[in-house]
Amino acid sequence: MITFTPLSGSARSAATTPLAYILQVDDVRILLDCGSPDWSPELSPFDTNHEELRSEPDSYAWEDYCHSIREVASEIDLVLLSHGDLAHCGLYPYAFARWGLKAPAYTTLPVQAMGRICVTEDVEGLREEQDVGDEPEQKQNANSEMDMDADETSNSPPPLKLKTKGKYVATLTEVQDAFDSINTLRYSQPTHLQGKCQGLTITPFNAGHTLGGTIWKIRSPSSGTIMYAVDMNHMRERHLDGTVLMKQGPGGGGIFEPLARPDLLITDAERADVTTSRRKDRDAALIDTITATLTSRSSLLLPCDSSTRLLELLVLLDQHWNYSRLRFPICLMSRTGREMLTFVRSMMEWLGGTISKEDVGEEGTGRDNRNKRRRGDDDADEEALGAFALRFKHLEFFPNPQALLQTYSSKDPKLILAVPASLSHGPSRNLFVDFAAVPDNVVLLTSRGEPGTLGRALFDKWNDSQRPDDKWDKGKIGRNIMMDGVVKLMMCHKVPLQGAELDEYLAKERAAEEEKARHQAALARDRMVLEADEDDSDESDSDADEEDEVERALGGDLMDTDRDGESGRRRKGDRGIDGDWGLDGDEVTTKLLSFDIYIKGNVSKSTSFFKTTGTQTQRFRMFPYVEKKRRVDEYGETIDVGMWLRKGKALEEEQESDQLKEYKQRLQAEEDEQNAIREPPSKYIRSEIEVQLACRLLFVDLEGLNDGRAVKTIVPQINPRKMIIVHAPPSGTETLIESCGNIRAMTKDIFAPAVGESIQIGQQTNSFSISIGDELLASLRMSRFEDNEIGYVRGRVVAHATSIIPTLEPASNASLPIDPADRMETLRKRKLGSRSKVSLPHSTMIGELKLTALKSRLASVGVQAELIGEGVLICGAGAKGNNSTELGETVAVRKKGKGMVELEGNVSDVYYTVRREIYNLHALVAA
């Protein structure tokens, strides 16, 4: 049975992001995506009421969603991530580190890297400007770890109280650890899961839209095939191929066979009611606007994301810069831009479109130019082999707006790409404040942004200013608009402490360090006392006698031993040794004297070279003695001690527990933190500023998603048995349901659950386990169909006392029970001397015959075929249009109904060839 529950991003929802869904297949709970919302929501600045902008709200819209993730995190058995952007994987690091989402996670290698880059950029941008509210938790956690390390015998501290409201922003270390734990797969690589998920097989396929974007195919032995396909793009782009769902090439369309006819399809309908303009028109509008603005000595601000869709934009701009020989700078304002491009250059096999291992956008194609570029590529470390198309020699990187102003004046014409695309925080928001007040500057939007952000407010402003026929969802390119008026924006900054605030902070820090030192000293003193007690209790009587003899032999000048037998350890304070640290006798001896031989006991006096007089003998060596060790064994082999030590160390590392490994990683992180440059004490401030708008605004859709026409075409061709719609506004949901309802062959089991609503699929299906006997298994003839093997079985179900699972054993006709009434009726109808009628077994063919696929197979074996009419394929001489003398070689293939195929023609080589190819297109189950 399948249970599906949307946690966020459901159908008929105004807020379609983030995406997170719980898919339960029998007892296995799968988390499909784990996206994060925009952590800096705001009302539209173009509204008249700005009172709510001045203070932080008491509760946020994402509280219910985060609470749902926190409640189910420890119960998740599998995590599947489909795209490497914030809407699909932004919350995963926080849930992994603090909510116990430790289930195995799978995705493709580009999604892992792109997700790490975009979450890192988001985390750094937010922590640079806002107080996310987890500093006290971090300090408490650090103190707890310190206590645990200092006193291993003490009880563990109480568990850390998790944050239950606010902004759930992970740290950089948590982001790295979370994405390092993800398992990466290749496209079309089936993975058979183990453990609780045993029996499930997951396979990723190309979804388009983003680098490494994934359609997940989940196969269950009891629930069938489940396909999770959201945010797809069937169109080929400059750096990506279209989704694998639609067949590419001269053969035309059609659905990729392994993904056709799933038992359950989970897909989105965000753009089911949207008609996108042609890609040629969108690219032309973007390029013309950029060129016209730069040549008029003005600048452009283009908000963008930090990883996924940024690459398509960079390729487009680089090709245009090379073709038009522009000399204006392209400035990318991102902390992770270099890291992103370095990774992409090393993953050329995941790219598609016009980018390949050939030069794109370079001047000339001759051999000299290729050799020169190859030499230049070998000389530059940052440019990987085969990544000539990703050089971006016009691109410059800047971490913040201040670095940009140090290089270029505000009056110089330039194209600025700034993150994030939502303009909710970071460089894009800071630049917009100064940028929008300059006349003739252009703010160019390439995505609509998340609701409740400045980016969505600007898009709504532009879309409302267009004519009804030119709006973004009508398939037209709108015009740019002139913005005017004044808007109020809330800005967040991080400023250093000064004056009394700095003094107060330093005083608190000193007090905390002193308290920490006192606490550590007390723990160390208690530990040493316990160790001293254990040493005293473990010493035997013979050891005590030996020490007494040594003391008497050496004399008592420096031993400082009183009559009560108290050792010098208890009177160390008289010699200037700090008693708080509780050093034992061996440590005192080490500090006072230096011996080259071993002397047991609390000895702190140098011994005499000569023998002592008296009856007492020495119980320790007088001279050092070095034992000569043999370097070979009895068989003459040299003993390599270093090898054994290295092997032992490797075995110890393998046997280390996860807790010990985490402890070492924590110590390394603390050491790195101590060695890092400490930033000055700072505080976070919020200020409301007024922005005078004087720039132009334009929106060009470069999100790279399917529009309504593609969705209405692809979904019926997939033809699922059941379908769930997610990630869609109310209008898009109703449009897709209505479109599928008008198709007679389309399923009527279409669900659109709301957030938190659970739907159950397949509750009427009963599945049973049965074991096949060895004799019957040896006689089976299996035929392969898709990922399964199918065979015809006829036998008896036998129950054994030693097993709870029944066994299927072969059964003959004589052993099968026969109704006496049927037997008498059969005998009455038989003629005298005739044999009894026996029903012959018949074979079963599994699959659906597609005449286009049959035509392609026949063409590969040299038989011409042509479709005439509906459902008729003419094969052989009749398809060539020759004279009637050769029409005897003609065969007609007709599809008469569901599961019925008629093959008509004379007995000839063509007939048998066509029949053989029809058989090859099916799985033949012989009885």
Side-chain angles (χ1 to χ4, degrees):
M1 187 175 67
I2 299 174
T3 304
F4 184 81
T5 307
L7 302 181
S8 178
S10 64
R12 298 190 179 95
S13 175
T16 58
T17 55
L19 285 74
Y21 313 102
I22 298 293
L23 175 66
Q24 182 169 347
V25 182
D26 296 333
D27 296 333
V28 179
R29 306 192 75 181
I30 305 173
L31 177 62
L32 302 175
D33 287 329
C34 186
S36 66
D38 192 284
W39 302 113
S40 302
E42 61 181 331
L43 298 178
S44 174
F46 301 102
D47 295 340
T48 57
N49 185 13
H50 298 282
E51 294 299 328
E52 300 184 23
L53 290 174
R54 294 191 174 93
S55 60
E56 288 280 350
D58 296 333
S59 62
Y60 296 97
W62 59 73
E63 293 294 347
D64 294 338
Y65 162 60
C66 293
H67 177 73
S68 301
I69 292 287
R70 183 168 58 247
E71 291 295 324
V72 302
S74 59
E75 303 173 0
I76 297 298
D77 303 309
L78 179 66
V79 180
L80 300 178
L81 303 178
S82 57
H83 293 276
D85 53 11
L86 294 175
H88 294 83
C89 62
L91 193 59
Y92 175 74
Y94 194 94
F96 176 86
R98 309 197 188 189
W99 292 343
L101 185 60
K102 302 297 184 180
Y106 290 87
T107 189
T108 58
L109 182 60
V111 170
Q112 180 198 33
M114 291 297 186
R116 186 203 312 267
I117 290 170
C118 75
V119 177
T120 299
E121 180 75 39
D122 188 61
V123 165
E124 288 184 342
L126 286 169
R127 291 183 175 274
E128 187 69 23
E129 297 181 359
Q130 304 177 24
D131 183 9
V132 295
D134 62 349
E135 296 300 329
E137 292 183 0
Q138 292 178 355
K139 292 180 181 178
Q140 181 181 355
N141 193 13
N143 292 335
S144 301
E145 293 170 355
M146 175 195 66
D147 297 348
M148 187 181 301
D149 299 339
D151 189 7
E152 297 177 356
T153 61
S154 62
N155 296 328
S156 59
L160 183 63
K161 184 178 179 181
L162 297 177
K163 184 168 62 174
T164 57
K165 63 182 300 184
K167 301 177 181 180
Y168 303 94
V169 181
T171 62
L172 293 179
T173 303
E174 292 170 349
V175 172
Q176 299 297 327
D177 293 342
F179 282 100
D180 286 341
S181 68
I182 296 178
N183 304 291
T184 57
L185 303 176
R186 299 186 304 272
Y187 282 151
S188 303
Q189 176 189 351
T191 302
H192 305 281
L193 304 179
Q194 302 297 327
K196 187 177 180 181
C197 303
Q198 187 171 7
L200 292 182
T201 302
I202 58 174
T203 309
F205 294 93
N206 181 20
H209 176 56
T210 63
L211 185 63
T214 304
I215 296 173
W216 286 105
K217 178 182 178 182
I218 308 169
R219 178 174 286 276
S220 169
S222 59
S223 303
T225 301
I226 305 169
M227 189 166 70
Y228 175 63
V230 295
D231 289 342
M232 299 179 296
N233 186 16
H234 71 289
M235 296 295 294
R236 185 183 184 188
E237 298 185 277
R238 284 175 173 79
H239 79 294
L240 288 177
D241 290 329
T243 176
V244 75
L245 268 177
M246 300 297 294
K247 291 181 180 179
Q248 306 292 334
I255 294 297
F256 187 49
E257 284 294 337
L259 297 179
R261 195 65 173 160
D263 295 286
L264 174 62
L265 171 65
I266 306 171
T267 188
D268 67 303
E270 184 182 17
R271 295 194 169 204
D273 58 338
V274 174
T275 301
T276 306
S277 57
R278 295 188 306 171
R279 171 184 161 184
K280 180 180 178 181
D281 297 337
R282 287 182 276 127
D283 293 350
L286 181 74
I287 293 302
D288 293 345
T289 302
I290 292 175
T291 305
T293 305
L294 292 177
T295 53
S296 64
R297 309 298 298 175
S298 298
S299 299
L300 296 98
L301 173 62
L302 205 157
C304 60
D305 67 307
S306 58
S307 60
T308 52
R309 297 302 304 170
L310 172 63
L311 193 58
E312 175 73 12
L313 192 59
L314 290 178
V315 174
L316 171 61
L317 295 175
D318 187 69
Q319 292 180 0
H320 175 64
W321 249 247
N322 290 326
Y323 179 79
S324 301
R325 300 179 183 275
L326 299 179
R327 293 293 179 262
F328 302 103
I330 303 176
C331 307
L332 176 59
M333 200 155 302
S334 170
R335 298 177 180 86
T336 58
R338 291 183 184 274
E339 180 184 356
M340 185 270 293
L341 290 181
T342 301
F343 166 77
V344 172
R345 291 189 186 107
S346 65
M347 300 299 295
M348 294 298 296
E349 66 272 17
W350 295 88
L351 296 174
T354 58
I355 292 184
S356 62
K357 292 189 177 181
E358 301 295 332
D359 294 0
V360 177
E362 295 288 340
E363 301 174 1
T365 57
R367 180 179 301 177
D368 296 337
N369 288 327
R370 288 197 296 269
N371 293 337
K372 183 173 68 174
R373 291 183 201 120
R374 186 177 293 109
R375 288 194 301 270
D377 187 67
D378 294 337
D379 295 338
D381 295 336
E382 295 182 357
E383 298 170 354
L385 180 62
F388 294 101
L390 302 176
R391 286 179 181 268
F392 303 131
K393 60 182 181 181
H394 306 283
L395 185 64
E396 301 180 31
F397 301 91
F398 299 94
N400 49 54
Q402 292 76 18
L404 176 64
L405 291 177
Q406 293 176 2
T407 306
Y408 295 103
S409 172
S410 59
K411 298 180 181 180
D412 295 337
K414 51 189 172 293
L415 172 61
I416 306 175
L417 307 176
V419 297
S422 61
L423 288 93
S424 58
H425 65 277
S428 60
R429 188 180 183 89
N430 295 327
L431 283 172
F432 176 79
V433 172
D434 301 327
F435 196 87
V438 180
D440 295 332
N441 278 358
V442 176
V443 177
L444 188 56
L445 303 177
T446 57
S447 63
R448 293 175 296 159
E450 187 175 339
T453 61
L454 178 58
R456 175 56 71 92
L458 292 174
F459 166 77
D460 293 338
K461 175 74 173 176
W462 174 87
N463 196 39
D464 294 341
S465 302
Q466 303 298 312
R467 294 180 299 180
D469 295 338
D470 292 340
K471 292 186 179 297
W472 82 282
D473 55 351
K474 303 300 181 183
K476 300 291 183 64
I477 301 295
R479 56 183 179 85
N480 61 58
I481 64 172
M482 178 66 73
M483 301 181 66
D484 56 0
V486 178
V487 296
K488 295 182 179 180
L489 296 179
M490 187 65 65
M491 304 298 295
C492 299
H493 297 284
K494 184 178 182 180
V495 297
L497 296 179
Q498 296 178 353
E501 293 179 340
L502 179 60
D503 297 338
E504 182 181 358
Y505 175 85
L506 295 177
K508 290 182 179 180
E509 196 174 44
R510 283 194 299 269
E513 291 179 355
E514 293 175 358
E515 179 64 25
K516 178 180 177 181
R518 286 195 297 269
H519 186 61
Q520 287 181 338
L523 290 175
R525 182 168 56 251
D526 296 341
R527 183 181 62 187
M528 291 303 175
V529 171
L530 291 175
E531 291 179 355
D533 294 340
E534 292 177 359
D535 293 341
D536 294 341
S537 61
D538 293 340
E539 288 179 352
S540 61
D541 296 338
S542 60
D543 293 339
D545 295 340
E546 291 180 1
E547 293 183 4
D548 293 340
E549 293 176 3
V550 171
E551 292 171 4
R552 287 192 293 270
L554 296 176
D557 294 339
L558 295 179
M559 292 299 298
D560 211 8
T561 304
D562 56 12
R563 296 178 181 179
D564 296 333
E566 294 179 352
S567 64
R569 183 189 315 167
R570 300 185 183 180
R571 300 176 59 187
K572 289 192 294 272
D574 298 339
R575 293 173 175 80
I577 301 176
D578 188 5
D580 293 339
W581 296 101
L583 297 175
D584 57 11
D586 291 340
E587 294 176 350
V588 174
T589 305
T590 304
K591 288 181 177 295
L592 296 179
L593 297 176
S594 176
F595 291 98
D596 57 354
I597 60 176
Y598 178 76
I599 299 178
K600 187 175 182 181
N602 296 333
V603 180
S604 60
K605 180 178 179 180
S606 58
T607 59
S608 174
F609 177 80
F610 302 99
K611 288 186 178 181
T612 58
T613 58
T615 59
Q616 304 199 8
T617 60
Q618 305 294 332
R619 300 294 301 273
F620 50 87
R621 291 196 184 101
M622 181 175 294
F623 298 101
Y625 172 73
V626 178
E627 181 182 0
K628 295 182 179 180
K629 298 181 180 179
R630 298 180 62 189
R631 294 188 176 274
V632 294
D633 56 9
E634 291 80 358
Y635 298 95
E637 181 181 359
T638 302
I639 301 175
D640 189 357
V641 180
M643 181 190 70
W644 290 104
L645 293 177
R646 290 191 298 270
K647 185 65 176 178
K649 185 177 181 181
L651 294 175
E652 290 177 359
E653 291 178 354
E654 292 179 358
Q655 295 175 356
E656 284 183 354
S657 62
D658 294 338
Q659 294 181 354
L660 185 58
K661 291 181 180 179
E662 293 179 359
Y663 169 71
K664 291 184 177 180
Q665 292 177 358
R666 194 163 57 243
L667 289 181
Q668 183 66 29
E670 292 178 357
E671 183 179 353
D672 294 342
E673 184 179 356
Q674 293 176 358
N675 296 333
I677 300 175
R678 187 177 181 183
E679 63 177 278
S682 306
K683 66 176 181 179
Y684 299 95
I685 60 173
R686 290 166 53 89
S687 60
E688 188 180 51
I689 62 174
E690 292 185 353
V691 180
Q692 178 66 45
L693 300 179
C695 64
R696 292 184 176 274
L697 180 65
L698 177 64
F699 170 77
V700 178
D701 183 16
L702 291 180
E703 292 185 359
L705 292 170
N706 284 339
D707 63 350
R709 293 172 298 186
V711 172
K712 296 173 187 176
T713 303
I714 294 175
V715 171
Q717 292 188 37
I718 298 175
N719 195 17
R721 292 178 172 85
K722 293 179 176 61
M723 186 170 71
I724 297 177
I725 299 177
V726 297
H727 186 45
S731 58
T733 305
E734 300 302 331
T735 300
L736 183 56
I737 293 177
E738 181 181 357
S739 175
C740 294
N742 295 332
I743 302 175
R744 184 174 59 182
M746 188 68 185
T747 179
K748 306 305 177 191
D749 296 330
I750 302 177
F751 308 93
V755 173
E757 178 185 356
S758 298
I759 59 173
Q760 294 183 349
I761 299 175
Q763 57 266 32
Q764 292 84 14
T765 303
N766 297 321
S767 60
F768 303 93
S769 298
I770 192 169
S771 176
I772 300 179
D774 295 338
E775 182 181 356
L776 183 61
L777 185 61
S779 62
L780 284 181
R781 296 170 57 187
M782 307 300 292
S783 179
R784 189 163 188 83
F785 177 68
E786 292 185 357
D787 297 337
N788 301 315
E789 291 186 354
I790 304 173
Y792 180 84
V793 179
R794 187 169 184 264
R796 292 185 308 147
V797 178
V798 179
H800 296 282
T802 58
S803 176
I804 61 175
I805 300 178
T807 304
L808 188 65
E809 296 182 350
S812 61
N813 292 333
S815 62
L816 295 177
I818 301 177
D819 190 1
D822 294 342
R823 182 176 180 82
M824 293 301 297
E825 183 68 20
T826 303
L827 294 176
R828 191 179 301 112
K829 293 181 179 180
R830 286 179 53 186
K831 293 181 180 180
L832 184 61
S834 63
R835 296 181 178 180
S836 59
K837 294 182 179 179
V838 178
S839 59
L840 297 176
H842 62 279
S843 300
T844 303
M845 300 177 68
I846 298 177
E848 181 181 359
L849 177 63
K850 294 185 178 181
L851 297 181
T852 55
L854 178 61
K855 179 182 176 182
S856 301
R857 291 184 67 97
L858 291 175
S860 63
V861 296
V863 177
Q864 292 190 1
E866 188 168 348
L867 289 167
I868 61 171
E870 183 176 355
V872 180
L873 181 68
I874 300 298
C875 311
K880 303 176 184 179
N882 295 338
N883 52 26
S884 59
T885 58
E886 299 180 359
L887 292 181
E889 298 286 330
T890 302
V891 176
V893 181
R894 294 184 178 89
K895 294 181 65 174
K896 304 196 65 174
K898 190 173 183 180
M900 295 182 63
V901 178
E902 184 181 83
L903 184 62
E904 181 181 358
N906 296 331
V907 177
S908 61
D909 293 339
V910 175
Y911 178 86
Y912 289 108
T913 301
V914 174
R915 189 181 70 170
R916 184 181 70 249
E917 296 302 326
I918 292 177
Y919 286 171
N920 292 337
L921 289 173
H922 294 78
L924 183 62
V925 181

